[in-house]
Amino acid sequence: MATIRDVAKHAGVSVATVSRVLNETGYVHEDTRKKVETAIRELHYTPNEVARSLYKRKSRLIGLLLPDITNPFFPELARGVEDEMQENDFRIIFGNSDENMNKEKEYIQTFEQNNVVGVIASTNHPDSDTYRKLRIPVVFLDRTADNRPSVYADGREGGKIAAHEMIARGSRQITVMQGPKHIRPAQDRYQGAVDVLSEQGVPFNVIMTSSFSFTEAGIWAKELFEQHPYTDGVIASNDIVATAVLHEALRLGKKVPEDLQIIGFDDIPLSSLLTPSLTTIRQPAYDMGRTAARLLIRIIENENIDQNTIQLPVTFTERETTRKVEQHG
Amino acid sequence: MATIRDVAKHAGVSVATVSRVLNETGYVHEDTRKKVETAIRELHYTPNEVARSLYKRKSRLIGLLLPDITNPFFPELARGVEDEMQENDFRIIFGNSDENMNKEKEYIQTFEQNNVVGVIASTNHPDSDTYRKLRIPVVFLDRTADNRPSVYADGREGGKIAAHEMIARGSRQITVMQGPKHIRPAQDRYQGAVDVLSEQGVPFNVIMTSSFSFTEAGIWAKELFEQHPYTDGVIASNDIVATAVLHEALRLGKKVPEDLQIIGFDDIPLSSLLTPSLTTIRQPAYDMGRTAARLLIRIIENENIDQNTIQLPVTFTERETTRKVEQHG
DNA sequence: CCTCAATGTGGAACCGGTTACACATATAAA
DNA sequence: TTTATATGTGTAACCGGTTCCACATTGAGG
């Protein structure tokens, strides 16, 4: 690999000059620039980012920490982040945390050790020391932290909408699936739904779940219908469990949406391809990723930020696991 | 951030000594080691990986290049790679190529510039200069290249199995969906299926598709039934299009598997949650990822490799979009 | 008691960039 | 003509680690 000194020698100038043309800083005579550029081309030179990063104490890398990329919601998020970062010449060191604080810590440490300029993290503990002590800008994604940069969708509102729509469509024996306790957005959704249901005096049951994994989703679906065989409406904690519930319901011979309505959460890509296609509370995952990336870049580049925490809207995405609401008027 | 010199001063030794205890190289007196370790702890010192990487010309980073993490097959792959790497103290710089040679080049360049020790890539052009000239070990994942390290599943065999099983289950008007031309594994599957169908003299049609995206999958499904309304068996190029075909078939009122059988490819997590659940040719994605990571690590660590290219088996995963085959005997 | 190998430690060069500073030259203003 | 300023370039220190080499010191073997 050619170094800047090779280029300098080849072009008959000093390394400082080469560095200047590389970075377009300081004065460089037009003729000199040409010579240097030729040398760079001839030697196929590309600057060593590591050396650069060492001196500047800043790389062009950012750290991305997500719970589990195997959950189809997160690839969308990741893709949004990546596309925006790519366009701005930042690259990504990526890790899955499995919602596990130790793994998180390990990754955050790696990020620091590699001089990343910023971090985007979906963590359940934004207030932990790990983040408080971090001297690198962080944007929390799909999570909130008071007054720290974050991009998220309004889970509580989503839960409320789900409950409202479920009631409006006539379900009266609703089951709410409470997502994993330690996952904040899951709890928000749950709370939102429960609030509305209580307020409206609609009876409901709760099924607790402890993960979002595909393998376990089926188990909870079974559990649901064993414990509450007569539910006529399920508000699921995300589209994965909603899919499992739908699957189990059909297996049991229930008619969806006639006997049973289901509302999911997230709107993962497959939701619209299910049969019946899944009614869900959509989160604009890709946009969230892009927005978070954009926010982080602005922070890194020291632009002044008008808005630290950005909330993106959730939208009720009506498909076929809910009945049509009667037109009034 | 504390540096090695801070630690040295604090412990009353030279930086060389600190480095020795850090790396467990050379001779260090037990008492000295203790002093240094205390200093490290007291200053919360962690070595700067960038400085290390600069001198050694090797980091603890590896580059992972996948086509599109939004396709549910790849997160499994990625997860396998990550888990194995994590356990061996390697971290990942990640990028999506969108099967686009320019993006690939860009990422490979970033990888080099950041001194990654190895690369895992799903590329359709393993023989391009980009990879030929790369002086960093590469393992091709989900792709083959003669005699270069690679981990993949036997797509051709998968295609054959699909065709055989389809025939064995009585479909006689088979439609094979030919995946994107530029994606090698897709073509292998296609070829495998076509070979068997031709050989057995079973008539079939072909639908060409040009991507694996969710949004377009629906379009091809529609196209399929417009052009070949009487097909009684679809061999899809992957589970995404298979899902779309299933969706469209049900929408058209077809009975699956009675009127129409469908076989997918990959076995993405959602396949088993569809109704009817999807019969598919399973690729052990997670294992493929782990295996590729393991292979790369062995190459990096210069262990001698008995087997350069590792082929993992595909398995016919019988579910509900195919009929039971009659028991003979 | 002497010699040599094993043990223990520090100084300084090095990795490949960036940049502060010194120094020269050309040009414009006084 | 003198002086201030803009333009152009090079030398060397620096970023924070690792490692080569030189230089003790210690202990075993002869």
Side-chain angles (χ1 to χ4, degrees):
Chain A
M1 202 66 186
T3 74
I4 197 171
R5 287 168 229 271
D6 298 332
V7 176
K9 197 165 296 173
H10 196 271
V13 300
S14 75
V15 293
T17 301
V18 178
S19 179
R20 281 189 204 105
V21 343
L22 243 33
N23 299 289
E24 305 184 27
T25 54
Y27 294 111
V28 179
H29 191 91
E30 193 48 36
D31 297 350
T32 315
R33 152 170 290 112
K34 288 255 161 60
K35 276 194 298 181
V36 172
E37 280 166 354
T38 309
I40 289 177
R41 229 174 306 114
E42 291 183 358
L43 298 178
H44 299 294
Y45 169 76
T46 44
N48 181 325
E49 278 298 328
V50 177
R52 216 172 233 182
S53 163
L54 177 59
Y55 183 86
K56 298 197 139 195
R57 294 189 174 100
K58 277 176 178 217
S59 66
R60 294 296 289 181
L61 297 171
I62 70 114
L64 175 61
L65 195 58
L66 297 176
D68 178 14
I69 201 154
T70 264
N71 173 335
F73 174 68
F74 293 109
E76 300 285 315
L77 232 46
R79 211 47 232 261
V81 171
E82 201 227 306
D83 288 355
E84 185 70 29
M85 284 300 174
Q86 179 72 5
E87 288 167 18
N88 288 275
D89 288 322
F90 290 101
R91 302 297 131 94
I92 291 174
I93 301 186
F94 173 75
N96 292 293
S97 71
D98 288 322
E99 321 263 8
N100 168 334
M101 204 54 207
N102 277 336
K103 278 201 182 182
E104 263 183 57
K105 256 192 206 149
E106 248 187 90
Y107 266 113
I108 296 291
Q109 194 183 328
T110 318
F111 293 164
E112 286 191 277
Q113 291 180 323
N114 285 284
N115 281 0
V116 304
V117 269
V119 170
I120 295 182
S122 293
T123 176
N124 297 301
H125 312 282
D127 296 313
S128 65
D129 269 7
T130 313
Y131 295 98
R132 285 217 133 12
K133 288 183 179 164
L134 195 57
R135 300 158 329 297
I136 303 167
V138 188
V139 169
F140 295 104
L141 178 53
D142 188 38
R143 308 290 144 116
T144 342
D146 314 324
N147 225 13
R148 326 242 329 256
S150 40
V151 173
Y152 60 104
D154 193 345
R156 187 176 208 92
E157 179 63 17
K160 287 187 182 177
I161 296 175
H164 270 128
E165 299 291 347
M166 195 57 106
I167 296 170
R169 284 165 177 71
S171 286
R172 286 298 174 268
Q173 293 268 78
I174 295 174
T175 305
V176 183
M177 304 192 77
Q178 179 176 13
K181 275 261 178 42
H182 59 291
I183 300 181
R184 274 286 303 276
Q187 290 314 305
D188 292 347
R189 295 165 203 178
Y190 171 73
Q191 264 315 123
V194 165
D195 285 358
V196 167
L197 260 15
S198 309
E199 183 191 301
Q200 303 275 322
V202 177
F204 65 94
N205 302 302
V206 174
I207 288 280
M208 302 233 306
T209 66
S210 58
S211 89
F212 277 153
S213 84
F214 282 96
T215 39
E216 296 180 68
I219 300 176
W220 293 307
K222 285 204 164 57
E223 196 179 311
L224 188 154
F225 291 111
E226 274 162 22
Q227 294 189 219
H228 310 294
Y230 302 117
T231 352
D232 61 353
V234 175
I235 298 177
S237 38
N238 73 1
D239 282 358
I240 297 178
V241 286
T243 304
V245 169
L246 172 60
H247 184 73
E248 181 66 10
L250 296 174
R251 202 184 64 84
L252 294 172
K254 293 181 188 284
K255 285 212 174 351
V256 178
E258 293 79 357
D259 303 344
L260 173 73
Q261 301 192 93
I262 303 172
I263 298 182
F265 210 106
D266 284 350
D267 195 19
I268 60 177
L270 257 140
S271 299
S272 58
L273 289 180
L274 296 175
T275 311
S277 56
L278 187 65
T279 295
T280 191
I281 308 295
R282 171 178 172 77
Q283 296 197 71
Y286 182 80
D287 276 350
M288 288 168 67
R290 269 205 117 101
T291 306
R294 215 144 36 208
L295 178 58
L296 181 57
I297 291 171
R298 302 198 57 193
I299 295 173
I300 289 169
E301 297 182 341
N302 257 315
E303 299 180 30
N304 62 331
I305 311 297
D306 35 317
Q307 224 186 345
N308 214 343
T309 69
I310 302 177
Q311 201 188 66
L312 270 60
V314 299
T315 47
F316 178 65
T317 302
E318 186 172 13
R319 288 201 274 251
E320 301 166 354
T321 55
T322 46
R323 302 187 280 270
K324 295 285 161 237
V325 70
E326 311 85 56
Q327 291 299 123
H328 295 290
Chain B
M1 203 66 185
T3 73
I4 199 171
R5 287 166 229 272
D6 298 332
V7 175
K9 199 166 295 174
H10 197 271
V13 299
S14 75
V15 293
T17 301
V18 178
S19 178
R20 280 187 207 108
V21 345
L22 243 34
N23 299 291
E24 305 182 27
T25 54
Y27 293 111
V28 179
H29 191 91
E30 192 49 36
D31 297 350
T32 314
R33 153 171 289 114
K34 288 255 160 60
K35 277 194 296 181
V36 172
E37 280 166 354
T38 309
I40 289 176
R41 228 174 307 113
E42 290 183 359
L43 298 179
H44 299 292
Y45 169 76
T46 44
N48 181 325
E49 279 298 329
V50 176
R52 216 173 233 183
S53 162
L54 177 59
Y55 183 85
K56 299 194 135 197
R57 294 187 171 104
K58 276 176 178 220
S59 66
R60 296 295 290 181
L61 297 171
I62 70 114
L64 175 62
L65 193 59
L66 297 176
D68 178 14
I69 200 156
T70 263
N71 173 336
F73 174 69
F74 293 109
E76 301 286 316
L77 231 45
R79 214 40 234 265
V81 171
E82 201 226 309
D83 288 356
E84 184 72 28
M85 284 300 174
Q86 178 71 7
E87 288 166 18
N88 288 276
D89 288 322
F90 290 101
R91 301 297 131 92
I92 291 174
I93 302 187
F94 173 75
N96 293 293
S97 71
D98 288 322
E99 323 261 9
N100 169 335
M101 203 56 206
N102 277 336
K103 278 200 181 184
E104 261 182 58
K105 257 191 206 148
E106 248 187 89
Y107 266 113
I108 296 292
Q109 194 183 331
T110 316
F111 293 164
E112 286 192 278
Q113 291 181 323
N114 286 283
N115 281 359
V116 303
V117 268
V119 170
I120 294 182
S122 293
T123 178
N124 296 302
H125 311 283
D127 297 312
S128 65
D129 269 7
T130 313
Y131 293 98
R132 283 219 140 359
K133 288 183 180 164
L134 195 57
R135 301 157 329 293
I136 303 167
V138 188
V139 169
F140 295 105
L141 178 53
D142 187 37
R143 308 291 146 116
T144 342
D146 315 323
N147 225 13
R148 326 246 325 258
S150 40
V151 174
Y152 60 102
D154 192 346
R156 186 175 209 92
E157 179 62 17
K160 287 187 181 175
I161 296 175
H164 270 127
E165 298 291 346
M166 195 57 106
I167 296 170
R169 283 166 177 72
S171 285
R172 287 297 173 270
Q173 292 269 78
I174 296 174
T175 305
V176 184
M177 303 192 76
Q178 177 177 15
K181 275 260 179 40
H182 58 292
I183 300 180
R184 275 285 303 275
Q187 290 314 306
D188 291 347
R189 296 166 203 177
Y190 172 73
Q191 264 315 123
V194 165
D195 285 357
V196 167
L197 260 16
S198 309
E199 183 191 302
Q200 303 276 322
V202 177
F204 65 93
N205 303 302
V206 174
I207 287 279
M208 302 235 305
T209 66
S210 58
S211 89
F212 277 153
S213 85
F214 282 96
T215 40
E216 296 179 69
I219 300 175
W220 293 306
K222 285 205 164 57
E223 197 178 309
L224 187 156
F225 291 112
E226 274 161 24
Q227 293 189 219
H228 310 292
Y230 301 116
T231 351
D232 60 354
V234 174
I235 297 177
S237 39
N238 73 0
D239 283 358
I240 297 178
V241 285
T243 304
V245 168
L246 172 60
H247 184 73
E248 181 65 10
L250 296 174
R251 201 183 65 83
L252 294 172
K254 295 181 186 287
K255 286 211 177 344
V256 179
E258 294 80 357
D259 302 345
L260 173 74
Q261 302 192 94
I262 303 172
I263 298 181
F265 209 105
D266 284 349
D267 195 19
I268 60 177
L270 258 140
S271 299
S272 58
L273 289 180
L274 296 176
T275 310
S277 56
L278 187 66
T279 295
T280 192
I281 307 295
R282 172 177 172 75
Q283 295 196 72
Y286 182 80
D287 275 351
M288 288 167 67
R290 268 205 119 102
T291 305
R294 215 145 35 209
L295 178 58
L296 181 56
I297 291 171
R298 301 197 57 193
I299 295 174
I300 289 169
E301 296 182 344
N302 256 317
E303 299 179 32
N304 63 330
I305 310 297
D306 35 317
Q307 224 187 348
N308 213 343
T309 69
I310 302 177
Q311 200 188 66
L312 271 60
V314 298
T315 47
F316 179 63
T317 302
E318 186 172 15
R319 288 201 276 252
E320 301 165 353
T321 54
T322 46
R323 302 186 281 270
K324 296 284 162 238
V325 71
E326 311 85 57
Q327 290 300 122
H328 295 287

